[in-house]
């Protein structure tokens, strides 16, 4: 059994950070973990932004279930185009400590 190390995903626009200057591949089985982590991170940021826009300084605990559900659904809809889709080429950087 292989343990996957902690990974971070940074999405960079094409032609930034020296695109096409190196080449490598990651296993297909690693991609879903990166995709899931990226989804969680952008969803969290989007929900926080929407909560501030709609409810000011109210915390999550101040919102009722319907308000929280509405924020979640709207945030999911807004991040849909930012998700890492399968079957595409992505540039990635790998660093070791």
């Amino acid at each position: 059994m292989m343990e996957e190390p902690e990974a971070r995903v940074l999405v960079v626009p094409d032609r930034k950070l020296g695109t096409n200057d190196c080449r490598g591949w990651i296993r297909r089985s690693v991609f879903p973990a990166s995709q899931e982590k990226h989804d969680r991170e952008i969803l969290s940021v989007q929900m926080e932004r929407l909560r501030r826009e709609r409810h000011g300084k109210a915390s999550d605990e101040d919102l009722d279930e319907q308000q929280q559900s509405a924020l979640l659904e709207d945030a999911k809809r807004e991040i849909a185009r930012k998700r890492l889709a399968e079957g595409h080429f992505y540039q990635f950087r790998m660093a070791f400590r």
Side-chain angles (χ1 to χ4, degrees):
M1 181 170 132
M2 182 176 169
E3 182 177 323
E4 299 296 335
E6 178 68 21
R8 292 179 36 177
V9 175
L10 171 65
V11 177
V12 179
D14 197 18
R15 296 176 186 52
K16 300 290 182 190
L17 292 178
T19 58
N20 299 321
D21 62 355
C22 56
R23 180 177 164 144
W25 301 94
I26 61 173
R27 286 184 299 138
R28 184 178 297 252
S29 62
V30 173
F31 183 77
S34 298
Q35 183 183 43
E36 184 178 312
K37 182 168 184 176
H38 182 254
D39 286 352
R40 281 193 316 268
E41 289 172 355
I42 62 175
L43 183 62
S44 175
V45 168
Q46 191 67 10
M47 285 196 57
E48 177 63 22
R49 185 186 67 76
L50 289 174
R51 186 180 54 73
R52 278 194 322 269
E53 283 180 3
R54 296 177 184 178
H55 304 286
K57 295 183 178 183
S59 69
D60 287 339
E61 294 80 31
D62 296 333
L63 304 179
D64 63 31
E65 190 175 316
Q66 183 179 5
Q67 291 170 317
Q68 289 180 2
S69 179
L71 282 179
L72 179 60
E73 292 308 311
D74 290 346
K76 283 180 179 180
R77 188 171 39 258
E78 290 183 16
I79 69 164
R81 65 178 171 34
K82 298 177 182 179
R83 295 189 72 233
L84 298 176
E86 283 194 46
H88 294 261
F89 286 104
Y90 293 101
Q91 179 182 9
F92 66 94
R93 298 289 188 260
M94 191 174 285
F96 302 93
R97 288 201 284 178

